[in-house]
């Protein structure tokens, strides 16, 4: 059996791609305070990780431009930076949700309850928000193995397979990065002050 770099990491990529979404989902069921940790909410993080999503989008576009112009070294560096940005986002996102109560879209008085007046004031924008949020979340789960498989194929110098998979990975990753910013901009007016 062939033991190439890209096949060597398959089981690890699959395991990471399953574990990360499960752990993140489980983390939403509790807060650090539930375990006796006296921590302040990290309410300063959402604009930072939204900015990181925006930077990721710009880096992805620039990386595609670099490879189309034959600059493989710049492309490789930018892609590594994009992966680091996504990892930084994930760490900050988890830290925020471990220390803070989730914000509800439309909860203008930040009491955690959406009354009829608040629901009426946001109208159909609430549905638009949830469509964007749900597609963002689902595709952020899908993008984990796609990015890792694409990256490992480049490491293995299997550029034919890398390029083929990158054509799928790039638009999904770009969508996740851009919608991360959009979700933040839509929910930010409702963060508790």
């Amino acid at each position: 059996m062939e033991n190439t770099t890209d096949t060597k990491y398959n089981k690890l990529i699959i395991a990471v791609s399953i574990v990360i979404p499960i752990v993140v989902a489980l983390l939403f069921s509790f807060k650090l305070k539930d375990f006796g940790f006296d921590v302040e909410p990290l309410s300063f993080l959402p604009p930072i990780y939204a900015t990181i999503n925006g930077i990721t989008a710009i880096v992805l576009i620039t990386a595609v431009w670099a490879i189309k112009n034959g600059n493989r070294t710049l492309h490789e560096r930018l892609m590594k930076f994009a992966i680091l940005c996504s990892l930084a986002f994930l760490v900050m996102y988890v830290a925020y949700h471990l220390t803070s109560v989730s914000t509800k879209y439309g909860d203008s008085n930040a009491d955690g309850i959406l009354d009829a007046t608040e629901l009426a004031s946001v109208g159909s924008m609430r549905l638009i928000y949830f469509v964007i949020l749900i597609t963002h979340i689902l595709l952020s789960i899908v993008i984990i193995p796609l990015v890792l498989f694409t990256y490992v194929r480049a490491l293995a110098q299997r550029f034919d397979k890398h390029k083929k998979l990158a054509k799928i990975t790039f638009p999904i990753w770009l969508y996740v990065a851009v919608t991360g910013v959009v979700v933040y901009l839509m929910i930010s007016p409702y963060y508790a002050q």
Side-chain angles (χ1 to χ4, degrees):
M1 183 173 171
E2 188 178 325
N3 187 19
T4 62
T5 302
D6 55 338
T7 58
K8 185 169 99 175
Y9 290 106
N10 284 352
K11 288 181 183 177
L12 179 61
I13 291 170
I14 291 166
V16 167
S17 300
I18 292 169
V19 169
I20 289 175
I22 290 172
V23 168
V24 170
L26 289 173
L27 292 175
F28 274 98
S29 63
F30 66 87
K31 303 290 179 223
L32 288 177
K33 287 185 178 184
D34 299 338
F35 296 95
F37 292 98
D38 186 26
V39 294
E40 290 296 316
L42 300 175
S43 56
F44 63 90
L45 287 177
I48 296 170
Y49 63 67
T51 301
I52 288 173
N53 268 328
I55 291 168
T56 302
I58 293 166
V59 169
L60 290 172
I61 292 167
T62 307
V64 168
W65 171 85
I67 199 65
K68 286 185 183 268
N69 285 289
N71 193 337
R72 185 183 285 182
T73 302
L74 178 60
H75 173 76
E76 181 181 338
R77 288 177 182 159
L78 289 168
M79 293 312 300
K80 286 177 182 177
F81 184 64
I83 291 170
L84 286 174
C85 284
S86 291
L87 184 59
F89 162 83
L90 180 63
V91 168
M92 285 187 244
Y93 180 81
V94 168
Y96 170 75
H97 284 285
L98 279 173
T99 63
S100 306
V101 176
S102 292
T103 301
K104 294 182 178 181
Y105 185 83
D107 186 12
S108 56
N109 63 3
D111 66 356
I113 301 166
L114 288 172
D115 61 32
T117 305
E118 289 170 321
L119 284 171
S121 72
V122 293
S124 61
M125 285 305 295
R126 186 168 165 79
L127 176 61
I128 293 167
Y129 170 77
F130 280 114
V131 168
I132 295 169
L133 177 64
I134 290 167
T135 58
H136 170 80
I137 291 169
L138 293 175
L139 290 174
S140 70
I141 294 167
V142 170
I143 201 61
I144 296 168
L146 287 174
V147 167
L148 295 175
F149 280 124
T150 304
Y151 181 70
V152 167
R153 286 181 177 159
L155 282 179
Q157 297 187 13
R158 303 287 304 268
F159 296 114
D160 55 331
K161 289 185 174 187
H162 169 78
K163 185 177 179 179
K164 186 175 181 181
L165 189 54
K167 287 181 180 183
I168 297 166
T169 304
F170 169 72
I172 296 172
W173 196 358
L174 184 61
Y175 179 85
V176 169
V178 170
T179 56
V181 176
V182 172
V183 165
Y184 167 74
L185 292 174
M186 292 180 80
I187 194 77
S188 63
Y190 305 107
Y191 282 125
Q193 299 300 331

